[in-house]
Amino acid sequence: MLTDRVRILVLCGLTCTLVACTGGEPAPPGRQATAPTATDPAPGAAGAGDPYYPADGNGGYDALGYEVTVRYEPGTNRLHGDTVLNARATKDLSRFNLDLRGFEVESVRVNDRPAEFRREGEFELVISPQRALAEAETFRVRVRYGGTPQSAGEGQLGANGWQRTGSGGALVLGQPHSAAYWYPVNETPRDKATFRLEATVPQGWTAVSIGREAGSETADGWTTTTWAESTPVASYLTTLAIGRFTLDRRTLADGTPVLDAYAAGAEPQRELGRRTGEIIEFLAGRFGPYPQRAAGGIYLDEPIGFSLETQGRPVYAEWADLETVVHELAHQWYGNSVSVRSWSDICLNECLASYAQWLWLEAKEGANLDARFRRIVEQTRNDGEFWSPKLHEMGAGNEFDGVYDKGPLAIHALRRQIGEESFARVLREWAAEHRDGNASWPEFERFVAGISGQDLDEFFANWFRGTGIPRPEHLLPGTLSG
């Protein structure tokens, strides 16, 4: 994510068979498949375990894939949804939760059988299947729902969730929350899953999302477009943008499809969109092969407070510039492919994506990064507000303080501390080792120490958990002291 405020700182089928739902061998001909038995069922947790957001996400199952079908009428701001979740139980389950903000839930089915459900708290949808689910059993949940999507209040970096656009369309975007504003979901980055969307809007409007465009047809005054993301995605990195878009299509050199969507008024951003391939090629030279199956961007003519790295196809605010595009595309490695385990680990996303902007300036414009670093240090040496935010263990609600300005300084200092060879290895090998998974900041510290062969405990404590300017020996390591 890159903000305006800190711009530089900036599958089970409908019939449950033994093979589909348990992963075993098919039942012999003429024999009925038997569902596994839960011997000690208990409710799944109503939270995924992130200490900063304890109610986010849910426990007891692993989401495997979402199949989301929505029909939206911009004139009335009404949405009807039909979402299928394919999941695997991680314990014997008597009931489990999904996250859904607003809407009237019309029905819930588990393995094609009606299930009991109720709403609890702000966004919990509690589901009790007819039969308890056994540990390791794969199962299918179908939720039908509808109503007026909830508008979110101001989040840390701007309005999160469902938003109406100036053109009369709609947009759902946000971090750490957004998915539950339009489909039932296990809303935690810890539970990544594949994603498929079939979105229907009135003819003349276009629904754009992440992943590959898998087809579009118009009939009876409505246009339905299908998007498919087969790479596991954290739910906040999904999106739906409905507008009167102009679409540009092409491919990268390796055949990866690129789709750029320009809202009315955002056509001047086409020059930025055309540089996507160049930027991805540059970043791949530093971070390794591009980890997504699609590329492009959604360019808005909206004064939202941030751009966001939605998977493969970031969403850009009206103020987005070239460095913003570099930043959001860097997230396709750091944040999207390698996702945080908890929100306290956000420096893995934002500090590294912000430093990608520095790498771009160094390579493309000949910027002297040591001189840039020393200049910023001198300008802020007595600025307690600049140095006080922690980059790890910062506390709930403070995750994005400091990561866009102090963050890239810290990463440059780390580069000079461990040297060019080790730093280049870190950028590539970390992304490769944790591809399509999750990781934590402490794991990153141990990884860097292992590659560099250095004891970096004090360095990391000063830069990433300190609340003041680092001690002199850590502030200016290597060539920075010259």
Side-chain angles (χ1 to χ4, degrees), residues 123-261:
F123 50 80
E124 299 289 350
L125 174 60
V126 184
I127 300 170
S128 299
Q130 288 187 18
R131 174 186 61 78
L133 301 167
E135 182 177 358
E137 177 182 356
T138 48
F139 61 97
R140 176 182 175 94
V141 186
R142 183 177 185 180
V143 182
R144 292 178 175 174
Y145 54 99
T148 300
Q150 282 189 356
S151 296
E154 290 295 308
Q156 292 179 8
L157 296 176
N160 293 302
W162 192 270
Q163 306 169 48
R164 302 301 303 277
T165 64
S167 66
L171 170 71
V172 60
L173 191 71
Q175 184 181 10
H177 308 119
S178 63
Y181 284 94
W182 64 295
Y183 65 95
V185 60
N186 193 18
E187 192 160 46
T188 169
R190 298 183 181 194
D191 197 5
K192 300 165 74 168
T194 61
F195 177 81
R196 183 178 180 88
L197 170 66
E198 185 177 286
T200 300
V201 293
Q203 188 173 354
W205 295 87
T206 303
V208 182
S209 188
I210 65 169
R212 294 193 176 199
E213 191 177 20
S216 182
E217 62 179 17
T218 298
D220 300 324
W222 293 83
T223 298
T224 299
T225 307
T226 302
W227 303 90
E229 176 53 271
S230 59
T231 301
V233 56
S235 60
Y236 78 94
L237 297 172
T238 66
T239 191
L240 173 62
I242 297 166
R244 301 185 186 276
F245 291 106
T246 299
L247 303 180
D248 287 350
R249 299 175 178 87
R250 59 194 183 282
T251 59
L252 299 179
D254 65 359
T256 300
V258 180
L259 184 143
D260 291 319

Side-chain angles (χ1 to χ4, degrees), residues 5 16 37 41 72 108 183 185 227 241 244 246 250 298 456:
R5 177 170 59 88
C16 183
T37 301
Y72 180 72
V108 177
Y183 65 95
V185 60
W227 303 90
R244 301 185 186 276
T246 299
R250 59 194 183 282
I298 302 172
L456 297 171

Side-chain angles (χ1 to χ4, degrees), residues 90-157:
T90 58
K91 60 182 287 187
D92 288 352
L93 278 177
S94 59
R95 68 172 187 260
F96 57 92
N97 292 14
L98 290 170
D99 301 319
L100 182 65
R101 297 174 184 267
F103 297 111
E104 178 182 348
V105 176
E106 300 164 7
S107 67
V108 177
R109 300 179 73 87
V110 177
N111 291 335
D112 203 35
R113 295 180 178 180
E116 295 183 2
F117 63 91
R118 67 178 187 271
R119 308 300 292 269
E120 285 187 357
E122 186 180 356
F123 50 80
E124 299 289 350
L125 174 60
V126 184
I127 300 170
S128 299
Q130 288 187 18
R131 174 186 61 78
L133 301 167
E135 182 177 358
E137 177 182 356
T138 48
F139 61 97
R140 176 182 175 94
V141 186
R142 183 177 185 180
V143 182
R144 292 178 175 174
Y145 54 99
T148 300
Q150 282 189 356
S151 296
E154 290 295 308
Q156 292 179 8
L157 296 176

Side-chain angles (χ1 to χ4, degrees), residues 293-449:
R293 292 175 54 80
I298 302 172
Y299 294 84
L300 304 176
D301 187 32
E302 299 291 326
I304 59 175
F306 58 92
S307 297
L308 186 67
E309 61 272 16
T310 43
Q311 188 146 313
R313 188 167 294 110
V315 178
Y316 297 105
E318 63 178 1
W319 48 262
D321 57 13
L322 181 60
E323 284 194 50
T324 307
V325 179
V326 172
H327 181 105
E328 305 305 343
L329 290 177
H331 275 309
Q332 305 310 311
W333 287 262
Y334 295 108
N336 295 20
S337 179
V338 185
S339 299
V340 296
R341 181 161 290 121
S342 297
W343 286 104
S344 63
D345 303 314
I346 195 64
C347 193
L348 287 174
N349 298 8
E350 302 299 347
C351 297
L352 288 162
S354 296
Y355 193 67
Q357 297 171 238
W358 286 40
L359 293 173
W360 175 269
L361 293 173
E362 180 182 47
K364 299 293 184 175
E365 299 183 16
N368 183 324
L369 297 188
D370 283 0
R372 178 188 178 104
F373 177 100
R374 285 192 289 263
R375 182 172 63 253
I376 295 173
V377 167
E378 287 307 309
Q379 291 172 346
T380 62
R381 186 175 291 275
N382 298 314
D383 185 350
E385 185 177 350
F386 180 91
W387 294 101
S388 62
K390 293 183 178 182
L391 300 176
H392 180 58
E393 298 176 347
M394 66 286 288
N398 303 313
E399 295 92 324
F400 298 98
D401 297 342
V403 290
Y404 302 105
D405 43 21
K406 180 180 174 181
L409 283 184
I411 298 299
H412 190 67
L414 176 64
R415 178 182 176 181
R416 293 301 182 234
Q417 173 69 38
I418 66 176
E420 288 295 297
E421 182 179 351
S422 291
F423 187 72
R425 285 187 58 196
V426 165
L427 292 183
R428 295 182 67 89
E429 294 179 24
W430 174 259
E433 182 166 318
H434 297 279
R435 180 169 176 157
D436 297 338
N438 297 79
S440 70
W441 182 259
E443 287 177 296
F444 182 75
E445 292 186 1
R446 293 191 292 271
F447 184 85
V448 175

